[in-house]
Amino acid sequence: MTGKNILVINGGSSSLKFALINDQESAPRISGLAERLGSLEAQLGWKDAAGKHSKSIAKAGHREALNELLPLVQAAAVEGLHGVGHRVVHGGEAFTGSCLIDSSVIDAIRDTIPLAPLHNPANLMGIEAALAVFPDLPQVAVFDTAFHQSLPDYAYRYAIPAALYEQHAVRRYGFHGTSHRFVSAEAAKQCQLDYHSSAWLTAHLGNGCSTCAIVDGQSRDTSMGLTPLEGVVMGTRSGDVDPNLHAHLANVMGWSLTEVTRVLNNESGLKGLSGLSNDMRTLEEAAGNDHAGAQLAIEVFCYRLAKSLASMACALPKLDGLIFTGGIGENSPLIRDKTVQHLRLLGLQLDEANNLRCLRGVAGEIQAAGSPRVLVVPTNEELQIALDTLSLIAPEGAAHA
Ligand code: ADP
């Protein structure tokens, strides 16, 4: 075996996702999740060449979980481990790209906590645990927001008093940047276009969903904003609503700000509209069985998505292709079809057979003859994090066993 091995870590408040990526291989050698950390039920689950495994790691915190998975990672990284890449949700305006982690980077991530009070402290826990367990390895932070720091001011500013931006950093940031960057670069490669003079619309459709306009390899607009709640309909998030809704619900329902925020983030979107599920597979099946809520949720999802893509088109000088990715984008011909049907004015149309063919990791072009390209490109955020990590660590850096 050859290539370099990067451990990719995504720290949550009570969980830690990990994957060992070799830069010469498309699938991780080992990946898994330590969850319910800090509790008696703490559990480590992982998948490797031998199959799926799990074990109890009662009371383990982030550091203990990393210590538990260390021997597994070392056994899979036969060439040694070359670095650790961390997903960090919010880089604010401080980070326009990925960077090597040192104490000033940790301070800047900490300074950004007011913008991501749930995510950044959790990401920091992962970083601090990894620094303790792997003190000799270079570690890199890859931010969800960094790709969107190239947005022009007229795309990132809200039309609210300027002091709220100047003194409190209230602006649009955008998320899913690692995925939008990965799939647009992949699409350019597949179409044999120069990424640095190309123009794309991307739709990342997972549990969270967002759209992006990418010109010459740079994000020029994106649907998520100050937080991931803004934009298109998602699994449990509402996406755009009237900004007066908070006040209206407080008056009519007597709900606190916390309750309104919880409902818009956790009880809305596909789940709220359908009254059934946040999972698109379940909704497609139910819609096929005449479930009215599921049918409506799918229609709203696709119409709002198409509206968002059409508005993103304002940022493009031309259109080299519309890219679908994420669990829904990669696997649902129905959602791709319904969405593209709303985009006739952009000249987009699908080829039915090719649309039906692109499932379960099968990538390809699915447009009809005469339409601009429409592509299905599986995302691989872990691989992008590993590639960023590799590009930042010294090429001659020795592997650590
Ligand atoms: P996450 O954002 O958690 O990484 P994923 O990218 O895995 O999520 O996407 C999860 C979504 O993809 C779910 O709504 C799931 O139902 C949907 N999905 C996965 N496979 C299919 C499929 N075959 N048809 C429709 N939706 C699918």
Side-chain angles (χ1 to χ4, degrees):
M1 289 189 231
T2 54
K4 292 195 168 171
N5 293 314
I6 301 295
L7 178 62
V8 174
I9 291 180
N10 184 353
S13 55
S14 64
S15 71
L16 194 142
K17 267 196 213 163
F18 68 96
L20 179 74
I21 306 285
N22 182 283
D23 65 336
Q24 304 295 314
E25 300 164 16
S26 60
R29 288 195 184 164
I30 177 170
S31 62
L33 172 70
E35 55 189 335
R36 299 194 207 112
L37 294 177
S39 78
L40 266 178
E41 291 81 40
Q43 182 96 10
L44 174 63
W46 71 97
K47 198 170 96 178
D48 59 18
K52 287 186 176 174
H53 322 265
S54 71
K55 71 187 267 196
S56 162
I57 49 171
K59 290 195 188 155
H62 288 74
R63 192 186 296 190
E64 292 79 16
L66 268 181
N67 271 322
E68 283 286 342
L69 61 90
L70 186 59
L72 305 169
V73 168
Q74 282 172 331
V78 284
E79 307 87 345
L81 204 51
H82 297 84
V84 182
H86 295 269
R87 176 190 180 216
V88 182
V89 167
H90 216 309
E93 291 187 326
F95 296 102
T96 57
S98 304
C99 63
L100 277 166
I101 294 175
D102 60 19
S103 59
S104 69
V105 168
I106 291 179
D107 288 346
I109 296 172
R110 195 167 283 122
D111 290 344
T112 312
I113 286 176
L115 292 171
L118 297 178
H119 288 107
N120 274 27
N123 297 151
L124 276 172
M125 271 195 255
I127 290 174
E128 278 161 359
L131 286 171
V133 175
F134 306 106
D136 300 326
L137 280 182
Q139 311 216 10
V140 165
V142 179
F143 300 89
D144 274 23
T145 51
F147 183 54
H148 303 301
Q149 280 296 300
S150 48
L151 259 59
D153 54 4
Y154 56 80
Y156 73 69
R157 288 291 294 273
Y158 291 115
I160 57 175
L164 290 174
Y165 169 63
E166 288 153 6
Q167 291 163 29
H168 300 284
V170 177
R171 51 160 283 181
R172 309 183 64 250
Y173 289 94
F175 299 86
H176 290 148
T178 311
S179 176
H180 291 297
R181 177 160 59 105
F182 179 82
V183 297
S184 54
E186 274 297 305
K189 221 185 289 170
Q190 281 169 27
C191 299
Q192 297 182 319
L193 295 173
D194 175 8
Y195 186 45
H196 298 288
S197 51
S198 65
W200 307 95
L201 291 175
T202 49
H204 175 103
L205 310 175
N207 278 308
C209 302
S210 67
T211 60
C212 186
I214 297 148
V215 180
D216 302 342
Q218 292 196 325
S219 172
R220 303 294 292 171
D221 202 354
T222 189
S223 59
M224 285 177 166
L226 175 72
T227 75
L229 187 60
E230 187 177 330
V232 297
V233 174
M234 312 180 209
T236 62
R237 296 189 193 121
S238 61
D240 293 338
V241 291
D242 186 323
N244 270 329
L245 186 59
H246 267 78
H248 180 73
L249 293 177
N251 290 336
V252 171
M253 308 293 292
W255 288 351
S256 65
L257 273 184
T258 310
E259 179 60 3
V260 179
T261 304
R262 189 190 70 78
V263 169
L264 294 181
N265 279 280
N266 302 338
E267 303 296 337
S268 299
L270 295 173
K271 182 181 176 191
L273 269 169
S274 68
L276 183 68
S277 171
N278 64 314
D279 189 295
M280 190 58 92
R281 264 168 308 199
T282 307
L283 295 186
E284 286 191 17
E285 205 181 307
N289 292 324
D290 296 329
H291 187 289
Q295 288 170 345
L296 178 68
I298 288 173
E299 295 303 328
V300 176
F301 181 90
C302 295
Y303 180 64
R304 293 285 192 95
L305 174 60
K307 253 171 83 166
S308 175
L309 289 166
S311 71
M312 289 294 139
C314 295
L316 302 184
K318 59 173 178 171
L319 178 60
D320 286 316
L322 162 62
I323 302 163
F324 285 99
T325 194
I328 299 172
E330 293 165 29
N331 292 296
S332 177
L334 178 79
I335 299 300
R336 296 189 298 240
D337 181 44
K338 282 185 174 293
T339 305
V340 169
Q341 281 193 32
H342 292 301
L343 292 168
R344 291 258 167 84
L345 272 182
L346 291 181
L348 294 165
Q349 227 179 330
L350 294 189
D351 176 87
E352 197 182 336
N354 283 338
N355 184 31
L356 289 172
R357 193 175 51 82
C358 287
L359 298 170
R360 289 183 284 277
V362 176
E365 294 190 19
I366 59 171
Q367 74 279 358
S371 160
R373 285 184 201 89
V374 182
L375 299 105
V376 178
V377 181
T379 195
N380 194 336
E381 289 163 280
E382 286 83 11
L383 178 59
Q384 185 66 64
I385 292 172
L387 293 174
D388 282 15
T389 305
L390 275 171
S391 74
L392 284 164
I393 61 183
E396 68 279 9
H400 296 256

